[in-house]
Structures are given as C-alpha cells and as structure tokens.
Amino acid sequence: MNTDCTVRRKAVTISLGEYMAVYRDEQKFMEYCRQCPNYARLWSCPPFDDCKDRIFRDYSQITIFASIITPDSNDIPLAQSSEIIIPERRRLERILLEMEYRYTGYAFAYAGSCLNCPQDTCTRPSGGRCRHPQLVRPSLEAYGFDIGKTTTTLLGIDLCWSTDGRIPPYLTLVTAIMHNQPSPEVIETYFLKTLSEDYTG
C-alpha cells in the first residue's frame, strides 16, 4: 500500500484574548472529550486541574499552525491513517518544543494518543506521575477550542472526514504556540521554513 504523501503548511497569528473569546466553547468540547476513551487516561488529555487556565495568563498572542497532508493514493484504509499522520506529528511536536524554548512560549500539540510512551502504558490510570512532562503538551481541543471553526475561518481550510472507511482526500493536523513575540511573522517563518527543510517525504 502506497502511503507516500505531500504536506503543505499554513500559519496564522491572532491575539490570545480574541481567540479565547471567539473560538473557545469549553463546555461543548469538554463533553466531546468525555466521550473519548483517552479521557482521564492520558496525561495529555483532560480533565486538568482546577487552575488549568493559568497557562493563558502570561501570553498575549497565539500562532496556529496547520499541516495539510495529501496522500498520493486515494485508496488507503482509514485504519492506516497513523502511518501517514505520525511522521508529521513527530516533526511538529519536536519543532513546537524547540519554539517554546526559543520564544519563551507554550505549545499545544495535535489531538490524539500521546506518542511519548508505548500505547496503553501511560501512568495516569494507575495514579503515577507522567514520565515525560517536559515533552507532553495538550491539544487545543483539550482546552475547549473549536478546531473546525479555527481552520475554516482563520486558515481557510475545511476539515475533511472519511465517509467510506478510506482516508479522505487530505488530513489536517492543527497545533499552536502562545507567545509574546512582537513580530509574530518571525514565529510563522521559523515554523514553515524549519519544517520544510526537515521534511523528507
């Protein structure tokens, strides 16, 4: 099965206050999270502690990134989507953590199972501490942000879903970083340029 693909990426910056006011509906999206089997079972997933919103206090802007992955084949079973998504996810998460350090920001990773421990080995169900707190970041969805509205309105991308058990025409991964960078285009350029240079197909 050919799982080769092409990836294009987009970035947009918005004030954090506006993004929270217009694109966040915590009650609605927490209900979706509660229906997910990862809820309360992964350290990257909600529920978080009562002071979870404190991460927003130190930042004025958020830069949102989208990776649009288009498979070369239109006949890939949906069950094989991870073979296409995970290489890009690993690149994204590495670059986001680099950007956190470089720009003194805070990153949001892509939603889904955490990649930092083998599947079904997270310590959260047993009450243990996260093994990799320096690597684990929540998704925007985990904080109640509307990704569909975000991609459509801010990035001009309509999310595409499978209807026949096959991967849709393209897959979209959405990540972000909060920051106080006075010239946000610096962050956007760093992200796009670094990932473009890193991408090997």
Side-chain angles (χ1 to χ4, degrees):
M1 181 68 67
N2 178 15
T3 57
D4 291 343
C5 59
T6 57
V7 182
R8 69 187 170 91
R9 303 178 179 92
K10 301 181 76 172
V12 65
T13 300
I14 184 174
S15 79
L16 182 57
E18 180 181 354
Y19 190 58
M20 293 181 69
V22 178
Y23 295 90
R24 192 181 191 205
D25 186 339
E26 188 175 12
Q27 183 174 355
K28 174 182 177 180
F29 289 96
M30 282 306 97
E31 187 55 39
Y32 292 150
C33 284
R34 289 186 187 94
Q35 297 171 28
C36 174
N38 289 332
Y39 184 79
R41 296 189 61 80
L42 297 180
W43 285 114
S44 56
C45 295
F48 303 118
D49 62 50
D50 291 338
C51 298
K52 66 182 185 309
D53 280 7
R54 67 183 179 273
I55 66 170
F56 299 120
R57 297 173 187 168
D58 296 329
Y59 304 102
S60 61
Q61 299 182 84
I62 185 167
T63 299
I64 302 156
F65 310 106
S67 291
I68 304 97
I69 307 171
T70 304
D72 290 352
S73 170
N74 60 2
D75 194 35
I76 302 173
L78 189 60
Q80 290 185 248
S81 60
S82 62
E83 295 178 32
I84 292 174
I85 289 172
I86 286 179
E88 178 70 4
R89 270 195 64 184
R90 292 194 183 281
R91 281 189 287 269
L92 287 170
E93 291 176 13
R94 177 174 59 80
I95 296 301
L96 285 166
L97 290 173
E98 286 180 14
M99 292 172 69
E100 266 195 2
Y101 177 79
R102 178 180 287 259
Y103 300 110
T104 318
Y106 185 88
F108 290 93
Y110 173 69
S113 296
C114 177
L115 300 179
N116 295 296
C117 289
Q119 189 172 3
D120 299 324
T121 65
C122 182
T123 59
R124 188 170 185 179
S126 62
R129 292 180 178 272
C130 177
R131 299 184 186 97
H132 307 286
Q134 76 280 14
L135 301 177
V136 175
R137 297 294 180 273
S139 66
L140 287 167
E141 295 96 318
Y143 273 81
F145 290 103
D146 186 332
I147 298 305
K149 186 176 181 179
T150 295
T151 59
T152 300
T153 306
L154 295 178
L155 292 157
I157 304 165
D158 291 326
L159 297 182
C160 195
W161 306 99
S162 172
T163 58
D164 60 359
R166 301 285 171 178
I167 288 178
Y170 59 87
L171 302 163
T172 306
L173 307 186
V174 179
T175 56
I177 185 167
M178 297 186 296
H179 57 86
N180 294 309
Q181 177 67 25
S183 301
E185 63 272 11
V186 171
I187 288 183
E188 296 175 17
T189 300
Y190 180 83
F191 173 85
L192 297 170
K193 183 174 185 291
T194 304
L195 276 167
S196 178
E197 291 173 349
D198 177 75
Y199 183 65
T200 56

